[in-house]
Amino acid sequence: MKISEIEEEYTSGVYAKKPLEIVRGVGTKVWDSQGREYIDCTGGIGVASVGHSNGYVAQAITQQANRLLTCPDAHFYNDKRAKLLEKLSEISPGDLKRSFLCNSGTEAVEAAIKFARGHTGKPKIVAAMRGFHGRTLGALSATWKSTYREPFRPLVPGFKHLPYGELEELEREIKDGDTAAVLLEPIQGESGVHLPPPDYLKGARELCDRHEALLIMDEIQTGFGRTGRMFACEHWDIVPDILCVAKALGGGLPIGAAIMREEIKLNRGLHGSTFGGNPLAASAALATIEYVQKNDLPGKAEERGGYFLGRLKEFEPRDIVREARGLGLMLALQLKRKSGPYLNSLMEKGVLALPAGGTVIRFLPPLEITREEIDQAVEALDSVLS
Ligand code: PLP
């Protein structure tokens, strides 16, 4: 049986996959089981920011695998975890200092929701229409898309969704003082790469301060250099109370974190995770952050993303194209039709990209993608859009 046939036979069946068996990756490239090469503009849905099989990260993982794989955060201290916690505090904006370590994006959001409710003693969580925060029941309650939510009702009570970018409605909703937190993506990724209006995030920060609600920024997709800054909230000069991260943090290994201000606390025993903060994931994350810093990946994302966006803008005059947009290397080309068939044609031409919001082709490549590779991707796009 082929790899794809085995997966289809034995997997849960919740995913609709492309007919592509990926078996190897280096930097911006991946190879299929037939040895065919692809430029990976999916970056593993924004995970492979440091590139596939990054040598520096792989070495850290190998060394740690031979030293200590597991050490429960609940019971013991560990050298790699300590270093990672210190590092996260060092690179996080403003006074964000303490982290709860977990294993995925949705868990980082779950932790943020629990810390926000537990710390404030308030029930309400205000999220945004078009927002995506994960698939477990708490995070799903903050996620907007009805097809993801409806089959699983009743969801967690106390969640409200408001239009992204609307400050007046936000104030109306939170001024009763019942809101534990406002939960927002700095750029909405999954729903199509939507940037906020210029004053929105700053305004949301001020409203949260005025009405004593916490501001949670979901930087699970935007974090660690993707948008041209270490964290996207730096573009708007704001510091959230809780910052949710995952995806690129582990360089490919599963890890997430909710990073928060010192005074936000839960009593001991009120949250936890067996695998969270394990030494293997911690060493991968530490190496990933070091690599991002040493090689100025935010700067590269800004420079190469600017070039890539400029090339995508060249498609705007075409009838089929609505808009090219994005920040750094979080980019979208919105079409006037469903993007699925174009993604398949791109794949046939050796370029992998992602859907988002139905009509969008989304690009989240490794941050060291070269101009030549961007040109190759744009050339493939040119031929599939013609
Ligand atoms: N939040 C955002 C902004 C995301 O983009 C994602 C995943 O795409 C998540 C949360 C959920 O992360 P995970 O799939 O690791 O649970």
Side-chain angles (χ1 to χ4, degrees):
M1 265 165 108
K2 286 172 63 184
I3 297 167
S4 52
E5 288 167 355
I6 300 170
E7 280 206 33
E8 285 305 329
E9 180 74 18
Y10 296 108
T11 186
S12 68
V14 297
Y15 302 115
K17 293 181 208 188
K18 305 264 177 245
L20 178 63
E21 301 168 346
I22 298 176
V23 294
R24 191 162 74 85
V26 178
T28 47
K29 304 274 174 55
V30 292
W31 285 265
D32 71 12
S33 51
Q34 309 302 306
R36 204 175 157 213
E37 182 180 297
Y38 298 82
I39 298 177
D40 184 15
C41 290
T42 73
I45 326 185
V47 167
S49 289
V50 295
H52 289 284
S53 303
N54 179 291
Y56 187 71
V57 176
Q59 194 187 16
I61 293 171
T62 311
Q63 280 173 357
Q64 189 60 39
N66 286 309
R67 198 168 126 93
L68 183 68
L69 280 171
T70 193
C71 167
D73 204 353
H75 296 292
F76 307 111
Y77 299 100
N78 172 259
D79 56 340
K80 289 290 156 35
R81 186 192 307 130
K83 278 193 179 160
L84 174 63
L85 289 167
E86 196 175 39
K87 192 70 166 172
L88 286 172
S89 170
E90 174 200 314
I91 65 166
S92 293
D95 53 355
L96 297 180
K97 180 173 175 189
R98 294 179 179 274
S99 295
F100 175 81
L101 298 173
C102 53
N103 316 286
S104 65
T106 200
E107 284 173 75
V109 173
E110 295 291 338
I113 293 167
K114 283 181 72 177
F115 272 87
R117 281 188 169 171
H119 174 73
T120 62
K122 299 177 187 181
K124 195 162 47 176
I125 306 288
V126 176
M129 291 171 181
R130 285 190 325 215
F132 183 84
H133 300 288
R135 310 276 202 156
T136 51
L137 285 172
L140 183 64
S141 304
T143 289
W144 167 247
K145 200 170 166 180
S146 62
T147 47
Y148 294 163
R149 294 160 53 88
E150 288 309 314
F152 306 107
R153 289 194 176 282
L155 295 173
V156 178
F159 284 73
K160 281 269 181 182
H161 289 90
L162 302 179
Y164 188 72
E166 281 277 331
L167 287 171
E168 274 177 30
E169 282 206 43
L170 182 59
E171 176 145 45
R172 221 173 298 136
E173 187 61 51
I174 70 173
K175 71 179 180 201
D176 60 8
D178 249 5
T179 302
V182 174
L183 166 58
L184 298 170
E185 293 162 88
I187 299 171
Q188 293 186 311
E190 185 78 12
S191 63
V193 187
H194 299 286
L195 274 88
D199 298 332
Y200 178 55
L201 296 177
K202 197 129 206 157
R205 174 70 277 180
E206 282 164 17
L207 289 177
C208 285
D209 288 341
R210 193 175 311 151
H211 300 292
E212 294 180 359
L214 301 180
L215 179 64
I216 304 171
M217 284 269 103
D218 178 344
E219 293 235 22
I220 288 160
Q221 195 163 137
T222 50
F224 305 103
R226 167 75 40 205
T227 70
R229 299 284 183 277
M230 185 62 88
F231 296 103
C233 60
E234 295 167 30
H235 287 287
W236 294 278
D237 201 19
I238 61 150
V239 180
D241 300 292
I242 307 179
L243 181 70
C244 295
V245 295
K247 285 198 188 280
L249 170 58
L253 247 61
I255 181 167
I259 310 167
M260 51 207 132
R261 290 203 342 260
E262 179 146 34
E263 58 269 37
I264 300 173
K265 291 221 173 88
L266 282 183
N267 288 339
R268 293 189 193 276
L270 287 186
H271 197 49
S273 164
T274 297
F275 286 127
N278 73 79
L280 188 70
S283 68
L286 198 55
T288 300
I289 297 170
E290 283 167 4
Y291 188 88
V292 168
Q293 287 184 309
K294 281 186 192 152
N295 296 281
D296 186 25
L297 293 202
K300 286 180 178 158
E302 182 170 44
E303 187 260 315
R304 290 162 202 195
Y307 177 73
F308 202 162
L309 181 60
R311 299 278 351 243
L312 293 178
K313 289 263 176 208
E314 292 170 16
F315 293 112
E316 281 186 341
R318 299 205 187 178
D319 278 348
I320 187 185
V321 173
R322 195 171 296 284
E323 189 190 29
R325 59 174 177 263
L327 195 58
L329 280 167
M330 183 171 182
L331 296 169
L333 187 71
Q334 183 160 15
L335 307 179
K336 292 176 187 162
R337 302 187 197 148
K338 293 272 175 217
S339 57
Y342 298 94
L343 288 167
N344 292 340
S345 308
L346 262 183
M347 187 175 84
E348 280 160 24
K349 297 205 171 294
V351 176
L352 306 181
L354 289 162
T359 57
V360 165
I361 300 177
R362 181 171 40 147
F363 302 91
L364 300 172
L367 305 184
E368 290 185 300
I369 189 170
T370 63
R371 285 192 177 217
E372 292 70 33
E373 288 164 335
I374 292 169
D375 287 340
Q376 273 174 268
V378 168
E379 217 169 277
L381 201 54
D382 183 28
S383 73
V384 308
L385 294 176
S386 297

